[in-house]
Structures are given as C-alpha cells and as structure tokens.
Amino acid sequence: MKRPVKASVKDEKLIEIRRNQIIRGAVTLFKEKGFHRTTTREIAKAAGFSIGTLYEYIRTKEDVLYLVCDNIYDGVKEKLSEMDVNGGTISQLKQAIAYYFHLMDELQEEVLVMYQEAKSLSKDAIPYVLQKEMEMVDMFQVLLRNCVRSGEIELDEQQIYVTANDIFVQGQMWAFRRWAFQRRYTIEEYIELQTELVCHGIECKRGKVKHGNLSTKA
Amino acid sequence: MKRPVKASVKDEKLIEIRRNQIIRGAVTLFKEKGFHRTTTREIAKAAGFSIGTLYEYIRTKEDVLYLVCDNIYDGVKEKLSEMDVNGGTISQLKQAIAYYFHLMDELQEEVLVMYQEAKSLSKDAIPYVLQKEMEMVDMFQVLLRNCVRSGEIELDEQQIYVTANDIFVQGQMWAFRRWAFQRRYTIEEYIELQTELVCHGIECKRGKVKHGNLSTKA
Amino acid sequence: MKRPVKASVKDEKLIEIRRNQIIRGAVTLFKEKGFHRTTTREIAKAAGFSIGTLYEYIRTKEDVLYLVCDNIYDGVKEKLSEMDVNGGTISQLKQAIAYYFHLMDELQEEVLVMYQEAKSLSKDAIPYVLQKEMEMVDMFQVLLRNCVRSGEIELDEQQIYVTANDIFVQGQMWAFRRWAFQRRYTIEEYIELQTELVCHGIECKRGKVKHGNLSTKA
Amino acid sequence: MKRPVKASVKDEKLIEIRRNQIIRGAVTLFKEKGFHRTTTREIAKAAGFSIGTLYEYIRTKEDVLYLVCDNIYDGVKEKLSEMDVNGGTISQLKQAIAYYFHLMDELQEEVLVMYQEAKSLSKDAIPYVLQKEMEMVDMFQVLLRNCVRSGEIELDEQQIYVTANDIFVQGQMWAFRRWAFQRRYTIEEYIELQTELVCHGIECKRGKVKHGNLSTKA
DNA sequence: GATGAATGAGTATTCATTCAT
DNA sequence: GATGAATGAATACTCATTCAT
C-alpha cells in the first residue's frame, strides 16, 4: 500500500523519527512557498539537520513530496476512519459529512499543499496517492449505500459514486476555494448549506422531506 | 480588469500578435510538462522566435503563466457568455449546465493547466484570475436566480451562491478528477448524473419530484 | 571521424574560438591536477569566461576531456603527417622516428594528460580516440612496409605491426617514464639508443649492417 | 621500503588481515569503475565491514589506492623473483621474458588498474611505487648483463638499461593496448613476436642470425 | 575494535534574464 | 524590433571523513 522510499540508514526506528522531522519541516515550507520553490537545504534545515543527513533518509527531493502527501492522506484517512460508517440513517450521514468537513477545515493548509503539489509527484508515485483518495471516497460510498439499504434515501450505484465524489470534493473546496467561501461563511454555515443541498435531492422519498432545523426555507 | 504585462515594444498590434504566439506555444508546453519544468527558451522556440524577442513582450517567466491563465479564462468566459442566461426555466438551467460541462470536456487540458499552475502566479496576479472565476460563477448565480424568480426552483441567496460554486467546480472535476470519472462515464452520462443530483434538491417544489431512472427531464 | 560535441551556440566560428579557449585552459589544468580534480568552474575561468558560457559550448564535463584529447591527437597527427613516409630507406625511417620522438618530447605534457586521463572518457568516446592512435601507428607501418619493399629491411606483416606499435609506445615512454629516462639521457641520446635497438634486428639482412655513427658495436 | 599507512588499531596481525580484505575488495572495484568513481562506502562494503572500520585501518581514501598499487607490485615482483636470473644464455632470457609476459597476461586487470590509477597517488606515495618498478626493471638488467657477460649478446650499459625498460613496458603493453593486440594475437604469439624483435638486434653477434618465420628459437 | 549516523564542503549543471550588435 | 551569446546565482545531490555509542 505504501510506495517504499529508500533510506541509507538501517535503524527503522530512527528512520521513522527523522522522516517525521522531515515531513513536519517540509509541510511548513510547502505551505509557504510550494514544493518547487523550496530548497532541499531549507528542508534539511527545517527538519533540524544537515543536508547530508536529509539525504540519508530520502533519495530525491521528490521523495519528500511523496512523504508529505502520503502523510497528509494518512492523517486524513485515519481521522476519517473514526467516523461511524455502519449505521444507515440520514442523520448519521449528515454527521459524517460534518465530521469530514470539520477535518478539512482543520487540515486546510495540508489539503492545499496536497492539492496543489501532488501533480509534481512522479508518475510512479501517483497511483499510491490516488489509491488513498479512492479509499476515502469509498467511505462515503459505504455510508450512502447503507442509507439506501435502510430505505432512507434513494440512489442507484452510479449516483452513489458521483455523490460520494461530490461530497469529497466539496470538503476540499472549503480549503481550495477559501477565497470564495471563508469570507462569507463559517465552517458551520458551509456545512449546513452543503449538507442541505446534497441531502435534498436524496432523502425526499415519499415527499416526507423534513430536514430538521437546517434549511427550513421550504 | 486586466493586469498589465509590460512590453518593451510599442506597436500594440504586434504585441497582440506576439503574445498570442507566446500563449499558443506555452499552453502546449505547460500541458506537457507543467510551468516549472518548462524553460523560457522552450517557450520562445515554441512561439517561433528567439529568447531575446520573448523578453521584448514579457518581463518575467511568470508573465507568461499569467498570459496563459488569463487567456484560458477568457476563452472559457467567452464561450460561456454565449449561453442563454435570461430565461428562468429548469430546462434552460439544465441546458446551461450541459453546455458548460461540454466546454470543460473540450478544454480539459487547459482547465488542468490553469488548475495546477495558477498557484504559481505571483500574489499580485491572483486577484485578476479569481475575479474571472467569480464572474463565471456569477453567471450560474444569475441563471439560478432567474429560476427562483420564475418559481421553478426554490433556493435562498446563500444556497444560490453555494450551488453556483458547486456547479462550477463539478464542471472542473470532470477534468481534474478524470482518473475517477472518465473511465466510468462518457461526458453525457456525467452531465446527466450531476444535473440530476443538483436539480433534485432544487426543483422539488410541490412534491412533483419524480426521479425514476436517471434523467427525468421533467 | 569526429565525435560531435553539441553546443547551444549556433555560430560555428565562435564555437571554434571558444572551444580553443576551453582546450587551452583545460590542458593547463589537467596537466596540473588531472581531470577529476579539475572543476568545471576552474575550466571556465581558465578559458576566460563564466560557467554559464562554458556550458553553451559543451554538454558535460567529459566533453571537455574529449575535446582536449581529440585536440592533442590532432596536434600530434598533424605534425606527424609532415613526415616523409614514402621513401623506403632505413635512413628515412630513422629520420621519421627521430622526428616523432622529438615531437613527443615537445608535447610531453599533453601526451601525459592524454595518457593518464583518456581512460576517463565515456565508452562512446573511446573508439574515436583509439581510431586516431591507430592512424598514427599506421604511419609507422607504411614506413616499415616501404623499407621492406625496397629490400632494406626484412619483416613480415605481423612483425611490422608489432614494431610499429613498439615505436609508437617508445615515443610515449619518453613522456610517461620520464622519471626513468630524462635524468639519464637527453632526447637525442634516447632517440639514438632506441633507434639503434629497433633497427638492429631489422636491417641486418646480408650482414651489411652499417648504421652510421650511432652504435658501431656490430 | 614501504610507505607506512597509519592505522588506529594496534594489533598488527589484525591490521594485516583487514588490509588484505580492503585490498581484495578495492581491486575488484577499481577494475570495474576506477579509483575516482569508487566510493569509500563501496570499498568498506566490498571488504566486508563498515565504513567506520575501514577508517580504523586507513587514513584517507588515497591510502587504499596506495595499498592496492603496492600490493599489485608486490604480487608481480614476488612472482617475477621466481625467475631464474642467474644463467647467462639467450634461451634463459627468452624464458624470462615469456614468464614475465605470461604474468602480465594473468594480471592484466591489475596491471591496468595500477597503470591508470597510479597517477592519482599523492606526490609522497609515488617514489615508493616507482622504486618497485625500478626493481623489476633491474631484474631484466641483471638478466641482460649476464648474457652480455657470457658473450651471448652484445650490449653496452645504456643499451641494457633501455632494453630492460622496453621489455618491461612491452609486457605491460599487452594489457594496456589490449585493444590493439588481443584481437590479433594470442599471448603466445605476442611473446614470440616481441621476443624475436628484441633478441634479433641483440644476439646477432657473428652474423649467425637466422630469423626464418617467426620463432627460430636458435 | 566495530559500527553507522551525522556532517557539510564540494560539484556538475540549469536557466531566467540582460544587452551589445 | 530581433537576435542569441553571455552571465552567474541557484540547486540537487554526493561522498570522504568523524565520532559518539
């Protein structure tokens, strides 16, 4: 599941530690200036050691980018997997969306980095990253499918797939279109608006549409 | 509305011609290798003149990126402005969405370039670009607002804003998440699926909602 | 006959000039410190221009080495080709050897460079260099063959080949074993000694051996 | 006679063992890639221990080169000293040459390494190496001198010196001009050709010279 | 005595930009 | 207005050597 990044150092524990230092340093720099404008020396410095040491733990500058992206995805995925995916109620779906959007809000900067720099990954690293995206989208698919199964919403498989992708991207939108949203809404408001729009077209089976407090503009 | 890009040459006509050459050459290169990996020499060559001449029409490499992005936006905007925005029927809205999505399909590569490289624009160029995005989103807002006005759909101003943004991004998604969509759907299918999902939550006024199998173009 | 070394600059005349500057500078440096210990920056400086300019006329550091070796060979070959190869007398052969050895004496430093650094040439450059060596050995073969034809010496083809190589290497020996020879002999003495040893085994047909003043120990 | 190479370790026995490991590993590497392109890490690895340990037995990378060269010389010298130098017949001389040339054939790769890399030795190591070369040349001088003494050949001291050097270099030629010789001749043929050429000019006392087809082992 | 992680000076090469012709 | 040779700061990456464990 992980693309191996070769290190010259043997001590696995140390590799773990040093790579975390590298990632921590690099993320900060990438946020500021982007991958291309960040120097390997700057990365080494930010990580707290010499350029020589940096290269004991990576092979190329691009390895750092991969490490960073991989790490961000892992972070998001890990947190995401704390969501309760098994229930099949609309309310749980909404909670999940809210949870995910809040996460995107917290990890805004990281999401932005990943979003903007991932394209600089070498061809052979991309599949690993897309794989992770897929897994996250899958979680929303499962959620949606459960709701369908329990009869709370009405979507066929294709619609589930597209909706899951929409939700996933709308979460990211909060980060990458911050200039359009964050001056107008709080994350709470954004969540409410998006959730409402998504759920409307979904739950309205039998016209019973009653989506709680949010959006009573019926 | 345009950020001026200084040229040493006076003849405005010539500037126009040369810049178009530059843009044409650069877009191709940026598609292939991205902005950072493209050299000014390559740009000059692709444009059909010498590096010296290139610098008669731009000030820095980044100017080229701006020119390219600006040009792509203009292209999209121009085509988009051919849409009929004034009617207020659901059917017109759907046509507009289809039109826009088709455009995104055609200009896929360009959209990708803009999407991936815009972040390399200098701070002072970004507002100009965002401005253009805003204008495009605005068109969808107008469309939606008209539908609301004519009573075909039911959305408040905030929902209109978010929906317009969603539509805008979903169009781009077709390009920037091609790996997720284009192996599964044709652009037609994608349009149908997304349109349906968007309109559902919108048009369901008076419970007339009947979303049989996909696309109930009601 | 020449391995092309790509330049970014188009003006052929200028390339010629600049490359000569490069060669002149590089030879001096290579003599002093060898190829590996010489920096591209030092080469540029010695050539009289910036590192950037250096790279307008070569592609890699190794190109410089090739240029240098090629140039030395050309120099030697050119001078060598002034020798009169057509006669078929022992005396002419001796003159040719003397001429060649004197050349090796003059170009000592260059020969040394070539000798010691040629092995650092990339695999694809070596054939070009060996080719040139071959051509020089060939000249001695022609000389010897003419002497055989005119009946002055007695050697079969294999012996001609080996003798030509021996002469060639003995000339170089004066440079690369200078520590063994140059404290004991002048170049004149060295020539006399070597010539004598080579010719002895060769010309003594019919016992008529008469090799002038040198070595009357017959 | 040996230039000392300082070690941090005291145990002389161990030093001997480790250095042999170093030499064995390094020779292989130097054969493959030359001294400059071989890293100390690779040497340590090839020797079978860590980089830290390597530096317990040498002071600098160049020490390894010296160790290697010294070792090769020693190997050659040792084998060479098995030759019978004391007789004074042409036949013994020829045997000695044959023996030496065969040795050069066997140790081809080593000879090449020494030949090509010796120039990278530091100024202060060179005398030690040249000293060894001298000793080997001396052996041929002794051989030749004995033959002169016994009246089998006719050479003065200068001629002896030059001839001994010629023989020495011709042996090496088999290795360093392999591209010129080894596709044309077997080592046997090469020996026969060179021996004949060398001895001709030497043994021709009393005109008894009869050099039919090659190898008149008279 | 052995190890291997850390170091950082050093190096080849690139490329945006300038400016004399 | 066009050209392209010249520039040199910048940069990824290497590798001999050290030293704490």
Side-chain angles (χ1 to χ4, degrees):
Chain A
M1 243 5 41
K2 280 212 185 299
R3 165 169 173 268
V5 173
K6 293 250 178 69
S8 309
V9 167
K10 291 170 181 176
D11 186 336
E12 289 292 338
K13 213 105 188 189
L14 200 50
I15 292 179
E16 175 86 8
I17 295 170
R18 292 283 177 267
R19 288 212 172 142
N20 280 332
Q21 292 178 274
I22 293 172
I23 290 165
R24 239 193 333 268
V27 166
T28 319
L29 291 165
F30 292 175
K31 278 180 200 171
E32 262 177 56
K33 2 170 37 186
F35 173 69
H36 276 107
R37 278 193 258 278
T38 300
T39 292
T40 51
R41 287 186 127 84
E42 289 171 321
I43 295 170
K45 196 174 180 184
F49 35 67
S50 73
I51 183 70
T53 301
L54 176 66
Y55 275 89
E56 293 281 315
Y57 296 92
I58 56 157
R59 275 273 225 278
T60 67
K61 185 184 174 191
E62 204 237 272
D63 278 349
V64 178
L65 181 56
Y66 175 73
L67 248 29
V68 165
C69 288
D70 189 63
N71 184 260
I72 296 175
Y73 270 111
D74 276 0
V76 176
K77 252 210 78 179
E78 192 186 354
K79 296 235 177 162
L80 227 48
S81 62
E82 288 169 12
M83 290 190 322
D84 179 12
V85 158
N86 298 312
T89 64
I90 282 273
S91 143
Q92 269 174 323
L93 175 63
K94 286 181 179 172
Q95 267 174 38
I97 292 175
Y99 184 83
Y100 168 61
F101 279 33
H102 273 296
L103 193 56
M104 289 297 100
D105 184 44
E106 279 167 42
L107 301 181
Q108 235 175 99
E109 301 282 326
E110 280 77 9
V111 170
L112 227 49
V113 166
M114 223 181 50
Y115 218 76
Q116 296 181 330
E117 310 296 353
K119 65 121 205 311
S120 296
L121 287 170
S122 68
K123 286 278 170 271
D124 83 306
I126 286 175
Y128 291 89
V129 163
L130 295 190
Q131 167 65 17
K132 291 228 167 96
E133 281 227 357
M134 273 314 206
E135 285 167 24
M136 287 190 261
V137 171
D138 274 349
M139 300 181 72
F140 288 109
Q141 286 198 83
V142 170
L143 264 157
L144 289 165
R145 217 173 279 130
N146 285 345
C147 288
V148 170
R149 202 166 293 144
S150 69
E152 294 243 340
I153 65 174
E154 205 173 335
L155 290 173
D156 61 31
E157 266 302 306
Q158 304 316 325
Q159 291 172 321
I160 287 174
Y161 183 73
V162 173
T163 305
N165 273 279
D166 284 351
I167 294 171
F168 184 73
V169 169
Q170 281 160 11
Q172 297 186 154
M173 265 172 78
W174 177 250
F176 74 78
R177 286 180 83 79
R178 30 155 73 163
W179 52 271
F181 290 120
Q182 303 201 11
R183 257 179 316 202
R184 286 175 86 120
Y185 308 120
T186 63
I187 181 66
E188 303 297 347
E189 288 163 344
Y190 181 73
I191 290 172
E192 189 164 321
L193 281 161
Q194 286 287 24
T195 309
E196 190 181 355
L197 287 167
V198 166
C199 293
H200 247 256
I202 275 173
E203 59 175 324
C204 57
K205 201 182 163 193
R206 283 186 309 258
K208 68 173 175 201
V209 199
K210 287 274 92 77
H211 32 276
N213 41 355
L214 34 114
S215 74
T216 47
K217 292 113 190 159
Chain B
M1 261 330 75
K2 279 212 184 300
R3 164 170 172 267
V5 173
K6 294 253 178 67
S8 313
V9 171
K10 304 286 141 176
D11 184 340
E12 288 295 335
K13 210 102 189 192
L14 199 49
I15 293 180
E16 175 84 8
I17 295 170
R18 293 280 179 265
R19 288 208 173 145
N20 280 333
Q21 293 178 280
I22 294 172
I23 290 164
R24 236 189 343 264
V27 167
T28 318
L29 290 165
F30 292 175
K31 280 181 197 172
E32 264 178 55
K33 359 169 42 185
F35 172 69
H36 276 106
R37 277 191 264 279
T38 300
T39 69
T40 51
R41 281 172 135 91
E42 289 171 320
I43 294 170
K45 194 175 180 186
F49 37 67
S50 73
I51 182 70
T53 302
L54 177 67
Y55 273 86
E56 295 285 319
Y57 297 93
I58 57 160
R59 274 273 217 279
T60 69
K61 185 186 175 190
E62 205 237 271
D63 278 350
V64 178
L65 182 56
Y66 174 73
L67 249 26
V68 164
C69 287
D70 188 61
N71 184 261
I72 296 175
Y73 270 111
D74 277 359
V76 175
K77 252 209 78 179
E78 191 186 355
K79 295 235 179 164
L80 225 49
S81 63
E82 290 169 11
M83 291 191 319
D84 179 12
V85 159
N86 299 313
T89 63
I90 281 274
S91 144
Q92 270 174 324
L93 175 63
K94 286 182 177 170
Q95 267 173 38
I97 292 175
Y99 184 83
Y100 168 62
F101 279 33
H102 273 297
L103 193 57
M104 289 295 101
D105 184 44
E106 278 167 42
L107 300 182
Q108 237 174 97
E109 301 281 328
E110 280 77 8
V111 170
L112 229 48
V113 165
M114 226 180 51
Y115 216 77
Q116 298 181 330
E117 310 296 354
K119 66 114 201 314
S120 297
L121 286 171
S122 67
K123 287 282 171 261
D124 82 308
I126 286 175
Y128 292 89
V129 163
L130 295 189
Q131 167 64 18
K132 290 229 167 95
E133 280 226 359
M134 273 315 208
E135 286 167 24
M136 287 190 263
V137 171
D138 274 349
M139 300 180 72
F140 287 108
Q141 287 199 84
V142 170
L143 264 158
L144 289 165
R145 216 172 279 128
N146 285 346
C147 288
V148 169
R149 202 165 295 146
S150 69
E152 294 243 339
I153 65 174
E154 208 174 331
L155 291 172
D156 62 30
E157 263 304 305
Q158 304 315 324
Q159 290 172 321
I160 287 174
Y161 183 73
V162 174
T163 304
N165 273 279
D166 284 352
I167 293 171
F168 185 72
V169 169
Q170 280 159 13
Q172 296 187 153
M173 264 173 79
W174 177 251
F176 73 76
R177 286 179 82 82
R178 28 155 75 164
W179 53 271
F181 290 121
Q182 303 201 12
R183 257 181 314 204
R184 287 174 85 119
Y185 309 119
T186 62
I187 181 64
E188 304 296 347
E189 289 165 345
Y190 181 73
I191 290 172
E192 193 166 317
L193 281 161
Q194 287 287 24
T195 308
E196 195 182 353
L197 288 166
V198 166
C199 293
H200 250 255
I202 276 175
E203 60 176 322
C204 58
K205 198 183 165 192
R206 283 185 312 254
K208 68 180 173 192
V209 200
K210 285 276 91 79
H211 44 280
N213 39 6
L214 23 128
S215 76
T216 50
K217 285 111 183 169
Chain C
M1 243 8 36
K2 280 211 184 302
R3 166 170 172 266
V5 174
K6 293 251 178 69
S8 309
V9 168
K10 290 169 181 178
D11 185 337
E12 289 293 337
K13 212 106 190 187
L14 199 51
I15 293 179
E16 175 87 7
I17 296 170
R18 292 282 177 267
R19 289 214 171 139
N20 281 333
Q21 292 179 275
I22 294 172
I23 290 165
R24 241 194 331 269
V27 167
T28 318
L29 290 164
F30 291 175
K31 278 181 199 171
E32 262 178 55
K33 0 168 42 184
F35 172 69
H36 276 107
R37 278 193 258 279
T38 300
T39 292
T40 51
R41 288 187 127 82
E42 290 171 320
I43 295 170
K45 196 173 179 185
F49 36 67
S50 73
I51 183 69
T53 301
L54 176 66
Y55 274 89
E56 293 281 315
Y57 296 92
I58 56 158
R59 275 272 225 278
T60 67
K61 185 184 175 191
E62 204 238 272
D63 278 350
V64 178
L65 182 56
Y66 174 73
L67 248 28
V68 165
C69 288
D70 189 61
N71 183 260
I72 296 175
Y73 270 111
D74 277 359
V76 176
K77 251 209 80 179
E78 193 187 352
K79 296 237 178 162
L80 226 48
S81 63
E82 289 168 12
M83 290 190 322
D84 179 13
V85 158
N86 298 311
T89 63
I90 281 273
S91 143
Q92 269 173 325
L93 175 64
K94 286 181 178 171
Q95 267 173 38
I97 292 175
Y99 183 83
Y100 168 62
F101 279 33
H102 273 296
L103 194 56
M104 290 296 101
D105 184 44
E106 278 167 43
L107 301 182
Q108 236 174 98
E109 300 282 325
E110 281 77 9
V111 170
L112 227 49
V113 165
M114 225 181 50
Y115 217 77
Q116 296 181 331
E117 310 296 352
K119 66 114 203 314
S120 296
L121 288 170
S122 68
K123 286 277 171 270
D124 83 307
I126 286 175
Y128 291 89
V129 163
L130 295 189
Q131 167 66 17
K132 291 230 166 95
E133 281 229 356
M134 273 314 205
E135 285 167 24
M136 287 190 263
V137 171
D138 273 349
M139 300 181 73
F140 288 109
Q141 286 198 82
V142 170
L143 264 158
L144 289 164
R145 216 172 280 129
N146 284 346
C147 288
V148 170
R149 202 165 294 145
S150 69
E152 293 244 339
I153 66 175
E154 205 174 334
L155 290 173
D156 62 31
E157 266 303 305
Q158 306 314 325
Q159 292 172 320
I160 287 174
Y161 183 73
V162 173
T163 304
N165 273 279
D166 283 353
I167 294 171
F168 184 73
V169 169
Q170 280 159 12
Q172 296 187 153
M173 266 173 77
W174 176 250
F176 74 77
R177 287 180 82 79
R178 29 155 74 164
W179 52 271
F181 290 120
Q182 303 200 13
R183 256 180 316 202
R184 286 176 85 119
Y185 309 120
T186 63
I187 181 65
E188 303 296 348
E189 288 164 344
Y190 182 72
I191 290 172
E192 189 165 320
L193 280 162
Q194 286 286 23
T195 308
E196 192 182 354
L197 287 167
V198 166
C199 292
H200 248 255
I202 274 173
E203 59 175 323
C204 55
K205 198 183 165 192
R206 283 187 310 255
K208 69 174 174 199
V209 200
K210 287 273 91 82
H211 32 277
N213 40 355
L214 32 113
S215 74
T216 47
K217 291 111 191 163
Chain D
M1 257 338 68
K2 280 212 185 299
R3 164 170 171 266
V5 174
K6 294 254 177 65
S8 312
V9 171
K10 304 286 140 177
D11 184 338
E12 288 294 336
K13 210 103 190 189
L14 198 48
I15 293 179
E16 174 85 6
I17 295 170
R18 292 282 178 264
R19 288 208 173 145
N20 279 332
Q21 292 177 280
I22 294 172
I23 290 164
R24 232 185 350 259
V27 166
T28 318
L29 290 164
F30 291 176
K31 278 180 198 172
E32 263 178 56
K33 358 169 40 186
F35 172 69
H36 276 106
R37 278 191 265 279
T38 300
T39 68
T40 51
R41 281 172 136 91
E42 288 171 321
I43 294 169
K45 194 174 180 186
F49 37 67
S50 72
I51 183 69
T53 302
L54 177 66
Y55 273 87
E56 294 286 319
Y57 296 93
I58 56 160
R59 274 274 215 279
T60 69
K61 186 186 174 189
E62 205 237 90
D63 278 350
V64 178
L65 181 57
Y66 175 73
L67 249 28
V68 165
C69 288
D70 189 61
N71 183 261
I72 295 175
Y73 270 111
D74 277 0
V76 176
K77 252 209 79 180
E78 191 186 355
K79 295 236 179 166
L80 226 49
S81 64
E82 288 169 13
M83 291 191 320
D84 178 12
V85 159
N86 298 313
T89 65
I90 282 272
S91 143
Q92 268 174 324
L93 175 63
K94 285 180 177 171
Q95 266 174 38
I97 293 175
Y99 184 83
Y100 167 61
F101 278 32
H102 272 297
L103 192 56
M104 290 295 101
D105 184 44
E106 278 167 43
L107 300 182
Q108 238 175 97
E109 300 281 327
E110 281 77 8
V111 170
L112 229 48
V113 165
M114 225 180 51
Y115 217 77
Q116 297 181 332
E117 310 296 355
K119 65 116 202 312
S120 296
L121 287 170
S122 66
K123 287 282 172 261
D124 81 308
I126 285 175
Y128 292 88
V129 164
L130 295 189
Q131 167 64 18
K132 290 230 166 95
E133 280 227 0
M134 273 316 208
E135 285 166 24
M136 287 190 262
V137 171
D138 275 349
M139 299 181 72
F140 288 108
Q141 287 199 83
V142 170
L143 263 159
L144 289 164
R145 217 172 280 128
N146 285 345
C147 288
V148 170
R149 202 166 295 145
S150 70
E152 294 243 340
I153 65 174
E154 206 173 332
L155 291 173
D156 62 30
E157 263 304 306
Q158 305 314 324
Q159 290 172 322
I160 286 175
Y161 183 72
V162 172
T163 305
N165 273 280
D166 283 351
I167 293 172
F168 185 72
V169 168
Q170 280 160 12
Q172 295 187 153
M173 264 173 80
W174 177 250
F176 74 76
R177 286 179 82 81
R178 29 156 71 164
W179 52 271
F181 290 121
Q182 302 200 13
R183 257 183 313 207
R184 285 174 86 119
Y185 309 119
T186 62
I187 180 64
E188 304 296 346
E189 288 164 345
Y190 181 73
I191 290 172
E192 191 165 320
L193 280 161
Q194 287 287 23
T195 309
E196 193 181 355
L197 288 167
V198 165
C199 293
H200 249 256
I202 274 175
E203 60 175 322
C204 59
K205 198 184 166 191
R206 284 184 310 255
K208 68 181 171 190
V209 199
K210 285 279 92 76
H211 44 281
N213 40 4
L214 19 130
S215 75
T216 49
K217 284 110 182 171

